[in-house]
Amino acid sequence: MSEIERLIADAKLKANTIKENYKIALLTNTRSKTRTINNEVISYSPNNEFFSDEEYNEVLEGIQSADYYVEPFFNEIEFIMDALVNANEKNDKWVYNLSRNGNFTGKKSLVPSFCDLLSIPYTGSNAFVISFSRAKYIYTKYIEKHNISVPRSWVYSASNGWLHQSKPPFGTKIIIKPMHESASIGLSNSSISIYDTNTEKQFDEQISNNSEMLVQEFIQGFECEVPLLISTKPYALDPVGISIDGQTQLDDLILTHERSFNDLYDFYPLEQQLHKSKVEAIKTTAVQISSLLGLRNYGRVDFRINHQGVPFLMDIAASPYTTKHSSFAFSFDKLGLNYYEIYNAIIGLSAADNSLVL
């Protein structure tokens, strides 16, 4: 049995205690079920990361198939109101948090912060780590200081121009991203360009709804995701390559929002394309990044890998997708494990962080 398989088996045993004493409060935002409450004004992001009904049902049925009783909440406010009404009773909820409602920068940190305030156990990272992992420019510079390869990065805003007057050299191939979004939101084929005298005019047209944009040197080559399970230390599952239109060597291809939204991409074991030593180096780097950020229970680190085999950090997901079309599901399938074991692993690993309530 491998180290990862032992970790998953141990987490499953810990999860049994949770099953006996708690029901899972599943917090998700879905395209059909998340609504405003009592006519309150709630800012819904026009580019939201809400689950489709199919994706939500996969997660729900996955947790249920692992023998948990699930109580769903489709709006953070619904959960908070329920928790406050029952605050004088013994808590019987273990929160599985996938909520991301709203149009504000720290939207994914609301629930973990509230749960910490009321000592309600939950899966995933704390509020600080969740917010930090969304601050792309900040964590890129932080990771760079620890001698991990990142793309050259700049910040541009329509009102203030370039941060510290630092900009890409002319002729640099760049990609433009929203500063605090995930799930490929804001990315299209036109996000890639060569920086020249006309580029800033294009920036101003693209960021009308965003205060700032992250501009990075574009890395041609492979792309991969590294799922992580985290106990007393992080463990990296084997890197999962991304293929688009049947191509593993992506060059200028990227996961646009359209491709991500419609699952128009596939997975493959990265070791099919890169030497084992390169793959192991990527796993080691993902573990280092997880430790530097303080991810808890689970996470994912994404890389672009250039033609020389050097991995460049592209994204950090503190609460990554675990739907059936995800690198997590792909990895568990490669281990010969059922889909629902993902949820036993994540919930079981969260037991260590919430030991005082067990």
Side-chain angles (χ1 to χ4, degrees):
M1 182 181 287
S2 70
E3 202 171 21
I4 280 285
E5 289 172 313
R6 263 194 305 273
L7 178 71
I8 294 170
D10 290 344
K12 185 175 182 178
L13 291 176
K14 293 176 183 176
N16 288 332
T17 304
I18 298 173
K19 293 176 187 178
E20 293 170 2
N21 296 284
Y22 294 90
K23 51 189 170 186
I24 300 299
L26 176 59
L27 271 66
T28 52
N29 308 123
T30 74
R31 297 169 202 162
S32 70
K33 296 182 175 66
T34 299
R35 294 289 183 269
T36 57
I37 299 175
N38 295 333
N39 296 315
E40 293 183 49
V41 177
I42 300 177
S43 177
Y44 285 83
S45 172
N47 294 318
N48 65 59
E49 306 167 59
F50 289 6
F51 287 88
S52 67
D53 287 347
E54 180 181 2
E55 290 170 332
Y56 165 73
N57 285 328
E58 288 174 0
V59 174
L60 173 65
E61 291 169 8
I63 299 175
Q64 289 175 329
S65 295
D67 295 328
Y68 295 93
Y69 177 85
V70 181
E71 183 178 0
F73 294 89
F74 298 105
N75 191 303
E76 293 87 329
I77 296 176
E78 289 177 338
F79 167 72
I80 290 171
M81 290 172 64
D82 180 272
L84 291 175
V85 167
N86 296 291
N88 292 324
E89 305 293 330
K90 184 180 184 301
N91 175 60
D92 65 349
K93 293 181 177 64
W94 199 285
V95 174
Y96 197 104
N97 180 42
L98 297 172
S99 60
R100 52 196 73 197
N101 190 16
N103 198 26
F104 53 96
T105 302
K107 60 187 177 182
K108 293 180 73 174
S109 300
L110 174 62
V111 168
S113 182
F114 176 79
C115 287
D116 280 336
L117 180 65
L118 268 65
S119 299
I120 299 173
Y122 61 93
T123 62
S125 296
N126 62 38
F128 171 77
V129 173
I130 290 286
S131 286
F132 190 37
S133 66
R134 306 268 294 190
K136 295 180 187 293
Y137 182 74
I138 297 173
Y139 74 61
T140 294
K141 290 301 181 183
Y142 171 65
I143 294 298
E144 184 178 35
K145 287 296 183 182
H146 289 83
N147 300 315
I148 293 172
S149 296
V150 298
R152 288 185 293 170
S153 303
W154 305 269
V155 175
Y156 182 84
S157 71
S159 57
N160 298 314
W162 293 101
L163 181 65
H164 300 314
Q165 304 305 309
S166 175
K167 64 178 73 175
F170 285 149
T172 304
K173 195 163 198 173
I174 58 171
I175 182 168
I176 310 160
K177 305 175 180 178
M179 186 68 77
H180 300 287
E181 295 287 3
S182 60
S184 297
I185 286 173
L187 291 182
S188 67
N189 291 327
S190 63
S191 298
I192 303 170
S193 64
I194 302 296
Y195 182 71
D196 58 25
T197 55
N198 295 317
T199 307
E200 289 179 23
K201 182 179 179 181
Q202 298 170 12
F203 285 176
D204 291 339
E205 294 172 355
Q206 292 186 38
I207 66 175
S208 57
N209 294 318
N210 297 278
S211 58
E212 294 180 317
M213 296 293 284
L214 177 66
V215 181
Q216 290 187 310
E217 180 180 16
F218 183 68
I219 307 299
Q220 293 181 300
F222 299 98
E223 185 166 331
C224 78
E225 299 179 352
V226 184
L228 296 156
L229 293 174
I230 304 158
S231 179
T232 53
K233 65 178 183 178
Y235 295 82
L237 284 77
D238 289 337
V240 178
I242 302 294
S243 67
I244 298 173
D245 298 335
Q247 296 185 53
T248 56
Q249 180 71 262
L250 299 185
D251 290 329
D252 287 350
L253 290 173
I254 60 170
L255 276 180
T256 63
H257 187 220
E258 179 185 5
R259 288 184 179 120
S260 179
F261 189 87
N262 295 301
D263 291 343
L264 299 177
Y265 61 98
D266 294 300
F267 303 109
Y268 67 93
L270 188 65
E271 62 188 12
Q272 290 180 356
Q273 296 293 329
L274 294 182
H275 190 272
K276 184 177 180 180
S277 62
K278 299 287 187 185
V279 172
E280 289 301 315
I282 290 169
K283 290 173 67 174
T284 298
T285 303
V287 166
Q288 290 175 329
I289 292 169
S290 176
S291 296
L292 286 168
L293 260 76
L295 295 175
R296 299 195 317 186
N297 308 160
Y298 74 125
R300 199 191 71 225
V301 179
D302 302 344
F303 298 94
R304 291 284 291 202
I305 305 147
N306 68 13
H307 296 300
Q308 290 72 47
V310 178
F312 290 79
L313 172 66
M314 297 306 296
D315 199 10
I316 300 170
S319 52
Y321 276 48
T322 55
T323 55
K324 290 185 177 180
H325 188 81
S326 69
S327 52
F328 261 92
F330 182 87
S331 296
F332 271 64
D333 181 65
K334 290 299 178 185
L335 290 171
L337 297 171
N338 290 316
Y339 171 67
Y340 65 80
E341 295 293 2
I342 295 173
Y343 302 102
N344 268 328
I346 293 170
I347 295 170
L349 288 168
S350 72
D353 292 318
N354 297 280
S355 58
L356 293 178
V357 301
L358 286 174

